[in-house]
Amino acid sequence: MNKAELVSSIAEKSNLTKKDTENALNAFMKVVEEALAKGDKVQLVGFGTFEVRERKAREGRNPRNPEEVIQIPASKAPVFKAGKALKEIVNK
């Protein structure tokens, strides 16, 4: 499902216009982005948690030249951890 399909589905279920639904979805994504950029968690009980995890610096291999060792710098990665209710729905 892409963003346009998601907007259509939400609009249908919530009796909002597609334009209002798209504005709400964009606002939700912006708020989550800003929270993660500050290092905060976004918890939606029953659905899941968006958070940022630290990745350590490490050594890697160049796939085109396996003998070449490259240094992969430390970074932050956004992650989503599904909540219990979402897991149960998916695993039905």
Side-chain angles (χ1 to χ4, degrees), residues 38-53:
K38 288 191 289 185
D40 295 338
K41 280 184 185 182
V42 178
Q43 291 181 307
L44 303 171
V45 176
F47 184 72
T49 304
F50 296 92
E51 63 183 329
V52 176
R53 292 205 183 131

Side-chain angles (χ1 to χ4, degrees), residues 43-69:
Q43 291 181 307
L44 303 171
V45 176
F47 184 72
T49 304
F50 296 92
E51 63 183 329
V52 176
R53 292 205 183 131
E54 302 281 336
R55 300 184 115 193
K56 296 178 187 173
R58 62 191 192 282
E59 288 186 351
R61 299 271 177 196
N62 180 347
R64 291 188 177 171
N65 180 4
E67 289 83 41
E68 182 182 350
V69 176

Side-chain angles (χ1 to χ4, degrees), residues 4-76:
E5 293 168 340
L6 179 60
V7 167
S8 293
S9 182
I10 293 171
E12 191 177 297
K13 290 182 187 286
S14 66
N15 295 321
L16 294 172
T17 65
K18 285 186 181 182
K19 188 70 175 166
D20 288 342
T21 302
E22 185 172 10
N23 288 340
L25 181 59
N26 288 339
F28 170 76
M29 292 188 319
K30 189 72 175 165
V31 169
V32 171
E33 289 170 2
E34 291 170 355
L36 294 179
K38 288 191 289 185
D40 295 338
K41 280 184 185 182
V42 178
Q43 291 181 307
L44 303 171
V45 176
F47 184 72
T49 304
F50 296 92
E51 63 183 329
V52 176
R53 292 205 183 131
E54 302 281 336
R55 300 184 115 193
K56 296 178 187 173
R58 62 191 192 282
E59 288 186 351
R61 299 271 177 196
N62 180 347
R64 291 188 177 171
N65 180 4
E67 289 83 41
E68 182 182 350
V69 176
I70 56 175
Q71 294 299 317
I72 301 170
S75 64
K76 296 178 182 177

